[in-house]
Amino acid sequence: MLSQPDGGYNVTRLPGPKSLFHGGTSGDIDNDGDVDILVTPGPNNEVILYLNNGDGSFQHKTLFSDIGRNYNMVLWDVDGDGNLDVLLDGHEEPLVIFWGDGAGGFSKKQIIGGFDDQVMHDIDFADFDGDGEQELAVLSSLKGLKKRKGWYVGFKVQTVRRKNRTFSDPNLIHHSPIFWIPWITACDLKDDGRVDLVYEQHGERWHGEMMAYTGLLDFTKIDKLVWWNEGDGAFSFYRIEDPQYFDFDETSPSDQRTRAKLIAKAEGLGLSLTHYDAPQIYYPTEDGKTYRGSDSFHPANIRNKPLDLNGPTSTDYSALDHDFF
């Protein structure tokens, strides 16, 4: 979909075979000044390249084959040589990197170790520990090993140091045994020179009731999860809950004090709870009210009691088996 001067879009189909593509990324892999597209997995588990001709048309080719079935990938100049590299992962496949040569070619795959029984969902890059070198912050979902043997059983956030093209073992930042999250963002929230990590949730998550049963992490009220950089690669974990997901009574001084505390907690970390309201409503409810998925959740999910207003949470769940639930 290519945007046009009149505000519309020109829609065309890319060349090549159909496939149930799960992951994709884009960047100028051949340094010719336009943006190319990579998608995975192709019909025979390939990574497909759509090479940009510079006019909005693309050439189709298989970039990687015989590498297993991979679902997620990221493009980044990991080693700082001016060329984009590809990081790739799948359920049963290891996390790997292909080093780019700047002309559209890549090295053989190199495994990044320490991610067994995990699948990478997102990676961000920054100097998290202040040593002058970029690290990788890797978000992965986990594989259940006991009662729950499928994928997406909890998640981990880990950092990995790099020297030239050699990677350290992962350093654990957070381990949750319950569910998974799809992305993270690295940013300096307070402009203090330390890069923090943020997960921002767009709307209520349907599995909030399950979270309420555990008493660990109720996603029905979450706006953001924050890993606050304390320096030297150490992080504190905060849950930021959103007043719009509580049934606050406007006439109740207690409820309004709680609302103010939620807002102050977010603002203290350099965050805003102000939301953008789109001018269009495409699918209005019959009664004209805003739908709240948590209205129908189990009574254990107490609407007006925030989980934590006092700073970092008491645990990051690291000591729990990720088949706990």
Side-chain angles (χ1 to χ4, degrees), residues 106-160:
F106 292 86
S107 70
K108 294 182 178 179
K109 71 179 181 182
Q110 175 183 334
I111 295 175
I112 301 176
F115 292 92
D116 297 337
D117 299 317
Q118 299 176 227
V119 56
M120 174 270 291
H121 287 275
D122 198 8
I123 302 180
D124 225 325
F125 307 84
D127 179 9
F128 296 103
D129 58 7
D131 66 352
E133 299 287 342
Q134 275 195 348
E135 291 84 46
L136 286 65
V138 183
L139 168 67
S140 303
S141 65
L142 311 179
K143 183 179 182 180
L145 302 175
K146 296 181 180 178
K147 293 181 181 179
R148 303 171 68 205
K149 297 184 181 297
W151 290 95
Y152 311 106
V153 181
F155 70 88
K156 286 184 178 179
V157 179
Q158 295 160 286
T159 54
V160 178

Side-chain angles (χ1 to χ4, degrees), residues 53-294:
N53 294 321
D55 58 1
S57 66
F58 293 82
Q59 302 176 44
H60 161 271
K61 65 176 291 187
T62 296
L63 187 61
F64 307 131
S65 59
D66 299 322
I67 53 171
R69 187 169 181 82
N70 291 276
Y71 293 96
N72 302 308
M73 60 181 169
V74 174
L75 271 174
W76 193 261
D77 180 9
V78 177
D79 58 355
D81 65 354
N83 306 321
L84 291 177
D85 311 302
V86 177
L87 294 116
L88 190 67
D89 201 0
H91 287 173
E92 304 295 342
E93 311 306 326
L95 175 60
V96 299
I97 188 168
F98 298 83
W99 302 100
D101 64 8
F106 292 86
S107 70
K108 294 182 178 179
K109 71 179 181 182
Q110 175 183 334
I111 295 175
I112 301 176
F115 292 92
D116 297 337
D117 299 317
Q118 299 176 227
V119 56
M120 174 270 291
H121 287 275
D122 198 8
I123 302 180
D124 225 325
F125 307 84
D127 179 9
F128 296 103
D129 58 7
D131 66 352
E133 299 287 342
Q134 275 195 348
E135 291 84 46
L136 286 65
V138 183
L139 168 67
S140 303
S141 65
L142 311 179
K143 183 179 182 180
L145 302 175
K146 296 181 180 178
K147 293 181 181 179
R148 303 171 68 205
K149 297 184 181 297
W151 290 95
Y152 311 106
V153 181
F155 70 88
K156 286 184 178 179
V157 179
Q158 295 160 286
T159 54
V160 178
R161 290 186 173 92
R162 176 199 57 82
K163 185 172 181 60
N164 298 321
R165 293 185 173 183
T166 300
F167 298 93
S168 70
D169 292 333
N171 174 53
L172 180 65
I173 301 300
H174 190 115
H175 171 200
S176 171
I178 306 301
F179 215 76
W180 61 281
I181 59 176
W183 52 69
I184 52 173
T185 300
C187 50
D188 184 351
L189 292 174
K190 293 282 282 186
D191 197 24
D192 60 2
R194 297 173 180 174
V195 180
D196 313 293
L197 292 167
V198 180
Y199 162 67
E200 184 168 14
Q201 182 169 298
H202 302 286
E204 297 177 274
R205 290 291 290 268
W206 62 268
H207 56 277
E209 184 175 8
M210 182 177 75
M211 299 296 179
Y213 286 140
T214 69
L216 291 178
L217 187 57
D218 178 0
F219 265 61
T220 66
K221 306 166 189 171
I222 292 293
D223 182 76
K224 298 175 182 69
L225 304 178
V226 175
W227 293 270
W228 178 263
N229 194 335
E230 302 287 358
D232 298 326
F235 292 81
S236 293
F237 175 52
Y238 294 81
R239 294 178 293 229
I240 304 300
E241 294 176 296
D242 191 331
Q244 73 169 315
Y245 297 131
F246 292 80
D247 295 328
F248 286 135
D249 183 349
E250 297 295 333
T251 65
S252 166
S254 175
D255 279 5
Q256 295 314 303
R257 284 194 296 270
T258 300
R259 182 199 299 272
K261 287 180 180 179
L262 288 171
I263 294 172
K265 181 180 179 181
E267 291 180 346
L269 292 171
L271 298 166
S272 172
L273 294 178
T274 301
H275 288 262
Y276 167 74
D277 292 321
Q280 308 91 354
I281 298 176
Y282 295 100
Y283 300 102
T285 57
E286 292 182 1
D287 59 7
K289 296 181 179 180
T290 300
Y291 172 72
R292 304 288 190 214
S294 55

Side-chain angles (χ1 to χ4, degrees), residues 17-21 40-48 62 64-70:
K18 296 179 181 179
S19 184
L20 185 61
F21 296 119
T40 187
N44 297 304
N45 294 340
E46 314 96 330
V47 170
I48 305 298
T62 296
F64 307 131
S65 59
D66 299 322
I67 53 171
R69 187 169 181 82
N70 291 276

Side-chain angles (χ1 to χ4, degrees), residues 297-313:
F297 287 160
H298 192 274
N301 182 10
I302 301 173
R303 297 289 288 154
N304 285 0
K305 291 188 177 180
L307 290 177
D308 190 337
L309 280 174
N310 300 317
T313 57

